[in-house]
Amino acid sequence: MKKLAIIFLLTLTTSLIYAQEQGDFRLQLGADYKLQINDLGAHAGLEYLFIDKFSLAPSFTYWFPDFGRSSNLNMDLRYYLTEGISQIYVMGGYNNLWINAQPGLPGTTLSRPGGNFGLGAFLDVADNFGLNTEFKIQSQNTRQPVLRVALVFKIGQY
């Protein structure tokens, strides 16, 4: 399942690079923080604004839990409520969490699909640079609240 998700993300990345001429495209690198269990993660993501006020934003997070391994794939749809320097959006989408509490042992990885919903803001800092903050709930098991902060590099027409 994890290989399928990586192939999907690579295929989407290739599609987004091709579509760069058709719409705005952003690369995002940052940190995620699970508020209830104090897990910190690093994420990388893309955003493609495919029509006015709507974007697709796939991202991958690698978590650093106290023990084991954990990662998360997100595929979110964003709707921008505002335009200009500060752009506020609502979002919803799909995510899949992989947890392995015993790395190295076969068959110990759990896969937990779920949904995302939340809100965020993009702050336009310079011509090719911005900041993003996001608060979302991930629906797997504990309905985990996640805070995300990221640097955003703009590629394409803005």
Side-chain angles (χ1 to χ4, degrees):
M1 182 69 173
K2 194 172 187 179
K3 288 181 184 179
L4 181 63
I6 291 171
I7 290 169
F8 175 74
L9 188 59
L10 290 174
T11 303
L12 183 63
T13 301
T14 305
S15 300
L16 290 175
I17 289 170
Y18 175 74
Q20 181 176 342
E21 297 173 5
Q22 298 172 4
D24 297 343
F25 180 66
R26 299 173 182 172
L27 172 66
Q28 179 171 299
L29 302 170
D32 290 3
Y33 185 71
K34 291 182 183 177
L35 298 172
Q36 288 179 342
I37 59 174
N38 300 324
D39 265 357
L40 184 63
H43 80 268
L46 306 168
E47 181 180 18
Y48 175 63
L49 293 102
F50 62 96
I51 58 174
D52 191 31
K53 298 188 180 197
F54 283 94
S55 72
L56 286 175
S59 66
F60 183 80
T61 303
Y62 185 84
W63 296 101
F64 303 102
D66 291 335
F67 62 91
R69 293 185 196 152
S70 181
S71 59
N72 200 71
L73 176 69
N74 297 283
M75 174 54 92
D76 297 324
L77 177 67
R78 296 177 179 175
Y79 176 75
Y80 282 88
L81 302 170
T82 62
E83 297 178 10
I85 293 175
S86 178
Q87 302 168 15
I88 298 170
Y89 61 86
V90 294
M91 52 83 61
Y94 168 81
N95 69 62
N96 197 78
L97 176 67
W98 292 277
I99 301 171
N100 188 343
Q102 298 175 333
L105 296 178
T108 58
T109 300
L110 299 173
S111 177
R112 296 184 179 157
N116 292 327
F117 65 92
L119 56 97
F122 171 77
L123 181 62
D124 197 4
V125 176
D127 286 343
N128 295 319
F129 178 74
L131 299 172
N132 194 65
T133 59
E134 188 174 277
F135 177 79
K136 64 183 170 185
I137 303 294
Q138 294 183 323
S139 69
Q140 299 103 331
N141 295 336
T142 60
R143 288 159 187 77
Q144 192 65 240
V146 176
L147 178 63
R148 172 175 277 186
V149 178
L151 300 174
V152 178
F153 304 94
K154 298 184 284 185
I155 302 168
Q157 293 285 346
Y158 283 87

